[in-house]
Amino acid sequence: MEQVNQLKEKGNAALSSGDFEGAVKFYSDAIKLDPNNHVLYSNRSAAHAKAENYEAALEDANKTVLLNPSWSKGYSRKGSALAYLGRHEEAIAVYEKGLELEPGNQQLVTGLAEVRKHAEASKSKVTEVFEKLRANPQTREWLKDPEYVKIVEKLAVNPFDKKLLEGNVSDPRIISAISVILGIELGTPMDVDPPASEPEPPTPKPKKEEPPKPKYEDVPENRRKALQEKDLGNECYKKKDFDSAIKHYQQAIEYDSTDITFYTNMAAVYFEQKEYEKCIKECERAIDIGRENRADFKLIAKAFTRIGNAYKKMEQWKLAKTYFEKSMSEHRTPEIKTLLSEVERRIAEEEKKAYIDPVKSEQEKELGNEYFKKGDYSTAVKHYTEAIKRNPDEAKLYSNRAACYTKLAAFDLGLKDCEQCCKLDPKFIKGWIRKGKILQGMQQPSKALTAYQKALELDPSNAEALEGYRACSTQLNSNPEEVRKRAMADPEVQQILSDPAMRCILEQMQQDPHALQDHLRNPDIAAKIHKLLESGLIAIH
């Protein structure tokens, strides 16, 4: 059971640090030892979800609920996994079941509200997809097939459903549906912002050269004038003549108020002018116009992205996250995913800063100390971890948690805490001593020796550091003759031994061991003595 707790704590630590694969491995190892532990499956479900492996997250959440049907957290895990998979109605039912068991549970309440919101958005998206499919003569006929309709409904909610795609990827009807869902027009694509020149379809070479047709000749007059104004606006935008660009885009809207790109282009100007509120307002108009006129999903996504970027510039991270997520729901791109990850990181940083409270940190530390004294090291780790979250720059907290990890034989996690402790406070001697002990436990005596040496530089008479140093020196110097030969071949050792003052000091140390402490106060002499200790030529008894 103790080994299971150790693996679980390692998994929790890996999950907290963002190492999701490592967390899954630790939880899996723990499950092998305790296959009926519902908490382990719940934790592994969380790790799978963080790694965006939602099918595996759902599988573990189902196992959690099966093992403990009265535990509300299992329903929260299952509802979350179903929501990520786009199975919103099932997720709603699961959250409601959890709330029957524990009414008022905030995690379940929040999850239910969120999934209901996404369910509404998905219904709107499904309606929009079917409208586009009905507008195309070819896809309109396919909608007479009930099976095809069911598949499209599922793909509209989750276009990356692996199971659906694996069975239907060769079906041209499904490929067409995905094209619509992802915002790839079936007919002539609309102009985008900034305008891109589109390749002309190949045409037979005329016998006689004809003069090029005037641009936009084949469109109605009001549309032609609108597009010409937009082009003028784009030229002014490139030259950073923003006031003129705005005038041209406004004139384009007067000629044709149905084109979403006129509004998004104007929003781009406001963004460059740092008029972020105006940029947001213009993008909101663009989205409304786009919805009314069935604009390409990619153009709607672009408007949402621009709003997100405006809020990002204003450092309103949560609003930025909301609009980047809306953009992703319209059209997923790696660029938007990167922006979303960035603002999520900033939100986490802000929440981390807001969470800092030295007084509560001290309270958690005291609780950790109490559980450590009782020998309940796993619970002590939880309290020390909470104390660190409340005061992440306090070196001693990492040292305390490292002591727990040492007791749990989680040396790798303990070493990581010791390194952070020594980084935050290089003069905290206990951090170096604890690091030395952990390295000894990991059978790395040479590295442990260096840690003890750092401790002795801070306090040459520290008994723990001296004892650790001697033990490591003895371990390294198991063959004295070989050690002596190796040391005498070292030019630095030869130089120290040829120094008359150092020979005098070494003789004095032999006659009076207490003289060592006086000599170690001199940094130059201390460095030379430590070099001789490392080489194994002398030892402290």
Side-chain angles (χ1 to χ4, degrees):
M1 198 63 187
E2 185 61 33
Q3 193 177 351
V4 170
N5 284 333
Q6 288 175 16
L7 288 166
K8 183 178 128 185
E9 293 302 332
K10 287 184 179 182
N12 293 348
L15 187 62
S16 299
S17 65
D19 179 9
F20 308 131
E21 287 185 11
V24 167
K25 182 183 180 302
F26 284 127
Y27 294 137
S28 299
D29 290 343
I31 286 168
K32 286 176 187 175
L33 299 172
D34 189 2
N36 294 318
N37 189 324
H38 65 281
V39 175
L40 295 175
Y41 287 99
S42 171
N43 289 11
R44 191 170 70 175
S45 175
H48 280 310
K50 289 281 187 183
E52 299 184 9
N53 188 0
Y54 303 123
E55 290 286 355
L58 178 59
E59 188 178 333
D60 276 346
N62 281 330
K63 186 70 173 177
T64 304
V65 172
L66 181 67
L67 289 170
N68 191 347
S70 62
W71 194 48
S72 61
K73 194 166 189 176
Y75 294 91
S76 176
R77 293 274 189 241
K78 185 175 179 179
S80 175
L82 286 166
Y84 277 121
L85 289 166
R87 294 159 63 176
H88 298 121
E89 296 305 321
E90 292 175 71
I92 288 168
V94 169
Y95 279 124
E96 287 174 342
K97 175 67 176 173
L99 285 168
E100 286 175 19
L101 295 169
E102 190 180 341
N105 179 293
Q106 194 55 50
Q107 199 171 11
L108 290 166
V109 169
T110 304
L112 181 58
E114 194 68 24
V115 78
R116 278 177 173 160
K117 185 174 75 174
H118 283 299
E120 287 301 315
S122 294
K123 284 177 185 175
S124 172
K125 184 68 177 285
V126 170
T127 302
E128 201 164 349
V129 167
F130 278 108
E131 283 178 0
K132 290 210 170 193
L133 291 171
R134 288 190 191 99
N136 184 286
Q138 183 185 29
T139 55
R140 187 188 305 130
E141 289 300 309
W142 295 341
L143 292 175
K144 293 176 182 177
D145 180 355
E147 286 303 313
Y148 177 69
V149 170
K150 285 180 185 177
I151 293 170
V152 172
E153 282 176 346
K154 290 179 181 177
L155 285 174
V157 174
N158 182 12
F160 303 101
D161 188 318
K162 290 180 184 176
K163 288 183 179 178
L164 272 178
L165 292 174
E166 282 171 8
N168 299 284
V169 72
S170 60
D171 188 338
R173 301 181 308 163
I174 302 303
I175 294 168
S176 296
I178 292 169
S179 298
V180 171
I181 292 162
L182 295 179
I184 303 168
E185 263 313 333
L186 294 175
T188 306
M190 293 180 65
D191 190 18
V192 296
D193 172 27
S197 58
E198 297 169 7
E200 292 288 329
T203 53
K205 192 173 181 180
K207 294 176 182 178
K208 293 182 180 180
E209 287 190 11
E210 297 177 0
K213 290 182 179 181
K215 198 174 183 184
Y216 310 129
E217 182 190 40
D218 297 330
V219 296
E221 185 179 3
N222 70 317
R223 177 68 176 159
R224 176 174 55 79
K225 288 180 177 179
L227 293 171
Q228 288 171 344
E229 287 292 338
K230 177 188 172 184
D231 288 347
L232 290 170
N234 291 347
E235 287 301 317
C236 292
Y237 177 84
K238 290 173 188 174
K239 295 172 184 175
K240 297 194 180 294
D241 182 1
F242 297 132
D243 290 339
S244 298
I246 290 285
K247 288 176 184 175
H248 286 297
Y249 293 139
Q250 287 173 336
Q251 188 62 52
I253 290 168
E254 286 186 26
Y255 287 125
D256 179 4
S257 61
T258 66
D259 191 328
I260 183 176
T261 64
F262 301 162
Y263 301 90
T264 53
N265 284 14
M266 194 147 58
V269 176
Y270 288 134
F271 186 88
E272 290 295 327
Q273 291 179 317
K274 297 183 172 55
E275 295 275 3
Y276 301 123
E277 294 288 355
K278 287 184 179 179
C279 170
I280 291 165
K281 188 175 179 182
E282 212 57 52
C283 285
E284 287 171 343
R285 282 179 68 197
I287 292 163
D288 290 340
I289 294 295
R291 298 280 193 218
E292 288 170 15
N293 294 279
R294 299 181 184 178
D296 192 315
F297 291 140
K298 286 185 284 187
L299 298 178
I300 301 284
K302 177 176 279 190
F304 278 128
T305 300
R306 193 152 283 156
I307 293 175
N309 277 324
Y311 279 123
K312 182 169 172 273
K313 285 288 185 182
M314 296 161 73
E315 297 189 357
Q316 295 186 35
W317 310 113
K318 289 187 177 179
L319 282 169
K321 178 177 182 283
T322 297
Y323 282 94
F324 287 142
E325 285 174 337
K326 287 183 177 183
S327 177
M328 289 276 279
S329 72
E330 296 291 333
H331 180 60
R332 297 175 70 90
T333 67
E335 292 78 15
I336 304 306
K337 191 168 183 180
T338 301
L339 286 168
L340 183 58
S341 298
E342 184 185 340
V343 296
E344 285 176 338
R345 187 173 64 252
R346 293 302 294 263
I347 289 168
E349 286 172 4
E350 293 297 320
E351 288 175 348
K352 190 176 176 182
K353 285 178 188 175
Y355 200 66
I356 290 172
D357 186 332
V359 174
K360 288 184 179 176
S361 175
E362 186 63 26
Q363 291 169 354
E364 290 292 334
K365 185 186 92 169
E366 291 304 321
L367 286 170
N369 292 346
E370 287 177 23
Y371 281 102
F372 186 88
K373 288 172 187 173
K374 292 176 186 176
D376 186 351
Y377 304 118
S378 295
T379 305
V381 164
K382 289 179 183 176
H383 288 292
Y384 288 137
T385 299
E386 181 63 19
I388 287 168
K389 288 178 183 176
R390 293 287 187 179
N391 192 4
D393 295 328
E394 175 52 61
K396 291 178 183 177
L397 298 174
Y398 295 92
S399 174
N400 288 10
R401 191 170 68 177
C404 291
Y405 284 138
T406 304
K407 293 289 186 180
L408 294 167
F411 295 120
D412 48 348
L413 297 174
L415 180 60
K416 190 175 178 181
D417 271 354
C418 284
E419 285 169 350
Q420 182 64 12
C421 171
C422 295
K423 181 182 175 183
L424 288 169
D425 186 358
K427 293 184 178 179
F428 182 51
I429 191 168
K430 190 174 274 190
W432 292 109
I433 292 171
R434 191 148 278 150
K435 183 177 179 180
K437 287 184 176 179
I438 288 174
L439 287 164
Q440 275 185 279
M442 295 173 79
Q443 299 299 310
Q444 297 182 33
S446 60
K447 290 183 179 179
L449 197 72
T450 303
Y452 288 127
Q453 184 176 333
K454 289 281 189 184
L456 288 168
E457 286 172 10
L458 296 168
D459 181 4
S461 61
N462 185 283
E464 276 189 287
L466 285 167
E467 184 185 345
Y469 199 104
R470 282 197 213 98
C472 292
S473 297
T474 302
Q475 191 175 349
L476 287 167
N477 302 337
S478 54
N479 189 333
E481 188 57 34
E482 282 298 317
V483 170
R484 186 177 174 282
K485 285 180 183 177
R486 202 164 49 244
M488 292 306 293
D490 186 335
E492 190 179 347
V493 171
Q494 292 172 12
Q495 188 177 0
I496 292 169
L497 293 175
S498 65
D499 181 349
M502 278 303 299
R503 284 207 301 271
C504 181
I505 289 168
L506 292 171
E507 288 172 12
Q508 188 181 4
M509 284 168 52
Q510 275 189 317
Q511 295 166 6
D512 180 12
H514 295 292
L516 172 65
Q517 293 179 16
D518 294 328
H519 291 305
L520 286 175
R521 290 193 182 95
N522 183 316
D524 292 335
I525 295 172
K528 292 176 180 177
I529 290 172
H530 285 310
K531 178 65 181 177
L532 295 176
L533 283 165
E534 282 181 39
S535 69
L537 287 177
I538 66 170
I540 299 171
H541 302 289

